[in-house]
Amino acid sequence: MRPFIVICLYFLGITGFPRCVYQVKTRTVQSGGSVTIPCSYSDPWKLEQDLQIIWSETNGEYCSSAADTIISPSGNVTEKYKGRLFREKDPNRNQTEYITITGLDPTDGPRFCCQLYNIRYNEIFKGSKHGTLLQFPETEYITQLDELMAVSSEEVVIPCYYSKNTLDLTNVTWNFADRELNLCTDVSIFESRNAHQYGGGRYSLVNFTQDVSLRIHNLHVNDQRSYCCVISTSTARATLESKQFTRLVVADYQPSWNQLTNEISVEEGHSVILSCSYTLPSDRYTERDVMRVNVYWRVENVTGPYAYHPYQEMVHSTYRHRTSITGMTNLMIKDVMKADDTSFYCFVVIKLCASYNQYEDKIQYGGGTRLIIKGKVKCS
């Protein structure tokens, strides 16, 4: 029966579907905590009524047919996760689904995989190759951000975090990553073997060994690449590299960005929403090709600190846990204060499905807003 189904799909012209299934490659978690794992897919043939995402787990390096199903096509959750695994659709995008797992245990996963299941043909089409790997503190690992945005000519830091004692580090290398092959290449751009920063040029480490993040000075647009962190320690027999590479997306600075497009006044202590907009970059793409939209809000100027960042640890302490995104791109600030009387600038990074599981990242300036804080109204 299965060969017949494949032949039918071939003549229907949908054997290539989907072109992309996307998951973030790692999540850093705590035992007893919770995690939310998204899965997005492209849908050029508008078949969403026939599609369902099923989820599985594996302790292997890759997602495969040998992975254990944890949510069946009928929606049943396996006994191991009953009462602590929940799924939901993204309210803004039909082609994105999340699972949230509570009460995490080191025996969970550690790799979670999403696959697309065609209800009409009772067939799994495609899935994510790497899935999402949970990294527990009990294990040795390096973690990086999945994505980071910057503006040309500024200085940017690409974080790299080692889960164990950094005093054991003996060597740190930063390489370019091959995006198509999902590999850390041997093309080295910076290496450090001692506590002194060296290497010249535009690259340096923040503070070897305490912080081995990569600093790039005087950023260029052609620095839009993927970067991977590789370390050696006094206790390890081999090098250790990050499972998650950082995609640096660079906006070419435009003087017109300094001209603010909006102005909003709000009373101190209230909440406020600042608007931001974007458009698809060309006629080549439709909304069905959008895999993810990440929004970044910077404060004071276009290269200033982050009032909002997809990764909370990158948000400036003044705004941490006070800002969130509402709708797709708009910024909500709670409990506004006098210090918020300044300008805010929005950037949007759109991840698009360019071909089979290959992606294109486009960055757009979404507008600037001058926020004016009025004193609290005193009741007479």
Side-chain angles (χ1 to χ4, degrees), residues 251-271:
D252 192 11
Y253 172 76
Q254 304 294 323
S256 60
W257 294 346
N258 298 321
Q259 304 298 316
L260 300 173
T261 53
N262 297 303
E263 183 176 289
I264 294 180
S265 297
V266 64
E267 184 180 327
E268 186 180 359
H270 287 200
S271 296

Side-chain angles (χ1 to χ4, degrees), residues 169-185:
L169 298 180
T170 58
N171 186 51
V172 177
T173 305
W174 278 89
N175 297 346
F176 289 127
D178 187 313
R179 232 181 146 202
E180 293 189 4
L181 298 177
N182 282 293
L183 292 174
C184 187
T185 72

Side-chain angles (χ1 to χ4, degrees), residues 55-93:
W55 292 85
S56 59
E57 67 174 0
T58 179
N59 58 8
E61 283 292 312
Y62 302 99
C63 296
S64 69
S65 57
D68 296 323
T69 299
I70 59 175
I71 301 180
S72 68
S74 62
N76 291 330
V77 177
T78 188
E79 188 67 31
K80 178 180 177 181
Y81 292 101
K82 277 187 178 177
R84 60 189 189 98
L85 190 154
F86 311 92
R87 69 194 301 179
E88 63 177 327
K89 287 282 189 180
D90 188 310
N92 298 305
R93 297 197 67 247

Side-chain angles (χ1 to χ4, degrees), residues 119-137:
I119 300 170
R120 179 181 298 182
Y121 296 104
N122 190 29
E123 183 80 6
I124 292 176
F125 273 26
K126 301 291 181 183
S128 168
K129 178 180 179 181
H130 297 275
T132 298
L133 175 68
L134 301 191
Q135 296 177 316
F136 287 88

Side-chain angles (χ1 to χ4, degrees), residues 240-296:
L240 180 67
E241 69 180 48
S242 174
K243 301 294 185 181
Q244 176 75 70
F245 311 141
T246 299
R247 179 66 175 175
L248 178 62
V249 185
V250 183
D252 192 11
Y253 172 76
Q254 304 294 323
S256 60
W257 294 346
N258 298 321
Q259 304 298 316
L260 300 173
T261 53
N262 297 303
E263 183 176 289
I264 294 180
S265 297
V266 64
E267 184 180 327
E268 186 180 359
H270 287 200
S271 296
V272 67
I273 294 177
L274 311 184
S275 63
C276 170
S277 61
Y278 74 94
T279 58
L280 290 179
S282 71
D283 293 337
R284 174 186 172 188
Y285 294 108
T286 71
E287 282 292 337
R288 295 179 180 276
D289 299 309
V290 177
M291 305 304 297
R292 185 180 68 185
V293 176
N294 270 349
V295 185
Y296 301 80

Side-chain angles (χ1 to χ4, degrees), residues 33-68:
S34 64
V35 66
T36 297
I37 304 172
C39 172
S40 299
Y41 62 91
S42 62
D43 184 13
W45 288 278
K46 304 181 182 180
L47 299 175
E48 61 263 32
Q49 68 274 13
D50 295 328
L51 296 177
Q52 185 173 347
I53 294 176
I54 60 176
W55 292 85
S56 59
E57 67 174 0
T58 179
N59 58 8
E61 283 292 312
Y62 302 99
C63 296
S64 69
S65 57
D68 296 323

